[in-house]
Amino acid sequence: MGALQDKLVDSLYGLGWAGVKKLPEPAAVALGRRIADFAWKRRGKSVLRLESNLARVVPDAGPERLRELSQAGMRSYMRYWMESFRLPTMDPKRFSTDVGFTDEHILREALDSGRGVIVALPHLANWDLAGAWAIGHMKAPFTTVAERLKPETLYDRFVAYRESLGMEVLPHSGGAAFGTLARRLRSGGMVCLVADRDLSASGVEVDFFGAAARMPAGPALLAQQTGAVLLPATLHYGDTPTMYGRIHPEVEVPKTGTRTEKTALMTQAVADAFAWGIAEHPEDWHMLQRLWLDDLEERP
């Protein structure tokens, strides 16, 4: 049954990639909204988890406001998928016209420094579109890491899709990714990491909207080990088809303290930048999983 289910999931994603990118853009936008509203009305686990997460981000929101935010959140999430399915066929000129970053000069100066650049992002808006913007508009190819998905064929589709946009994609598991990322940074390259949810057992505990969460240590450790510039970035959607972003100031390596202490301070600074962007545009935060420690199920 597991193999059959994996094959079905892979086939559905394959249909999405093959079918959606052939639709006219208005039709794809309308389809995404219909799917989002259907999923939202069903009130499944993912929608309820999204609402629970949004309640922490907007603590003064009542039930009606939370439902409005979760509906907008599901529409934003499906917009991400519709855009991502269509990205490989999009005119590269649109990466400049449909994406705009505040403080873009911070990223340009970091790239020109030759130190290597780490861009850390949360699950806001469309990080794949931001990556396509970096490659097409900034002429800055980069390396990233992808979570190994099940089935394996689905993971392969994601890797092939991102590589078609010009990204180098490494698997999250296996332990070799960190060394490869460090080599890319030492040679002056760029690394982009989605870093608001820890996928390992070695995350750093941070204060996030007033409660404890765990976020990856990788961005801070890479900056310490390689001397690369660590830049948080946040994204949000505007009027279709525009997406906006902000490059935040560098998170510098503290001059004193142990590696553990430095990593904790730097990861908290990244979390604070994420919190700013998420609080500004909570409807574009696609966090449909448990994040805070007191929400996580106990594990053996």
Side-chain angles (χ1 to χ4, degrees), residues 174-229:
F178 189 91
T180 302
L181 295 175
R183 287 193 295 274
R184 299 293 183 269
L185 292 168
R186 288 194 185 99
S187 64
M190 185 164 73
V191 164
C192 295
L193 300 171
V194 180
D196 57 344
R197 186 165 70 95
D198 181 47
L199 297 176
S200 70
S202 59
V204 177
E205 189 171 314
V206 296
D207 180 274
F208 198 54
F209 291 100
R214 202 173 280 124
M215 293 190 180
L221 290 172
L222 283 166
Q224 292 176 63
Q225 186 164 318
T226 68
V229 181

Side-chain angles (χ1 to χ4, degrees), residues 58-73:
V58 192
D60 58 346
E64 183 176 350
R65 174 60 177 152
L66 282 176
R67 285 175 64 86
E68 290 174 354
L69 277 174
S70 67
Q71 183 176 27

